[in-house]
Amino acid sequence: MAHFEEKSGIVPVKTPWGAWWQTVDEVFVLVNVQPGTSGRDIKCTIQPRHLKLVVKGETVIDGQLADVVRADDCLWTLEDKCKVDLCLLKSFCGAEKCWKSLLDGQYQADPYTFDQMEKKLTLQRFQYENPGFDFSGAAMTGNYQGGGPKFNT
């Protein structure tokens, strides 16, 4: 069986440097960098509540994360010498929470995107709780914020 994300897609938040999106357990950050960038050009510091990414001496991201991550379990990679991928693992206490922004006050999801993120995370939680069922084609309808979700499959 394919991973839930592979079958159902992602809900990205576009940013000036790339995009970020999330799952129940992780926050992914994709940063477009100048072609030909090497790993030596990248300085990435991930702390439980802070993220700083410097590429070729220029600060791309620097601020307090929207929630706590397990810094020791987070990682970054350089893809094709033109993209930096970060994988931030949400802390156990905040893993169920849908982040509204990547950093406090920065890179916030617009209301529609945030609603789509919440719906996606809810479907992913149902997939984890019911591993024999395929929720990737399911859709949630109705007012998500009030009274709970309804499913269309």
Side-chain angles (χ1 to χ4, degrees), residues 57-111:
E58 191 172 317
T59 301
V60 179
I61 301 172
D62 187 10
Q64 186 168 328
L65 292 164
D67 207 335
V68 180
V69 297
R70 297 181 305 185
D72 292 340
D73 296 325
C74 298
L75 58 95
W76 67 268
T77 58
L78 177 63
E79 181 182 338
D80 299 329
K81 296 187 176 192
C82 64
K83 296 177 187 170
V84 177
D85 295 316
L86 290 91
C87 178
L88 310 174
L89 275 69
K90 295 178 181 179
S91 70
F92 289 112
C93 60
E96 295 284 318
K97 185 177 178 185
C98 186
W99 290 21
K100 290 185 178 186
S101 63
L102 177 63
L103 304 178
D104 282 346
Q106 296 182 46
Y107 315 119
Q108 188 167 352
D110 62 75

Side-chain angles (χ1 to χ4, degrees), residues 2-123:
H3 189 272
F4 182 78
E5 290 305 307
E6 294 169 2
K7 293 174 77 176
S8 62
I10 62 171
V11 179
V13 175
K14 303 287 185 195
T15 66
W17 37 258
W20 71 272
W21 62 93
Q22 63 187 307
T23 66
V24 169
D25 302 313
E26 301 157 322
V27 174
F28 296 93
V29 182
L30 174 67
V31 179
N32 297 310
V33 296
Q34 193 173 33
T37 299
S38 74
R40 293 183 193 145
D41 297 325
I42 300 167
K43 303 290 184 247
C44 186
T45 305
I46 304 170
Q47 298 172 335
R49 281 291 305 214
H50 192 266
L51 173 63
K52 183 172 185 176
L53 176 67
V54 178
V55 180
K56 294 185 177 184
E58 191 172 317
T59 301
V60 179
I61 301 172
D62 187 10
Q64 186 168 328
L65 292 164
D67 207 335
V68 180
V69 297
R70 297 181 305 185
D72 292 340
D73 296 325
C74 298
L75 58 95
W76 67 268
T77 58
L78 177 63
E79 181 182 338
D80 299 329
K81 296 187 176 192
C82 64
K83 296 177 187 170
V84 177
D85 295 316
L86 290 91
C87 178
L88 310 174
L89 275 69
K90 295 178 181 179
S91 70
F92 289 112
C93 60
E96 295 284 318
K97 185 177 178 185
C98 186
W99 290 21
K100 290 185 178 186
S101 63
L102 177 63
L103 304 178
D104 282 346
Q106 296 182 46
Y107 315 119
Q108 188 167 352
D110 62 75
Y112 175 79
T113 301
F114 182 69
D115 186 58
Q116 296 305 305
M117 283 179 155
E118 284 191 310
K119 289 177 182 179
K120 179 138 180 76
L121 267 59
T122 299
L123 288 172

Side-chain angles (χ1 to χ4, degrees), residues 123 126 133-141 150-153:
L123 288 172
F126 286 134
F133 294 97
D134 181 6
F135 287 93
S136 63
M140 296 177 59
T141 61
K150 297 176 182 137
F151 291 100
N152 293 332
T153 54

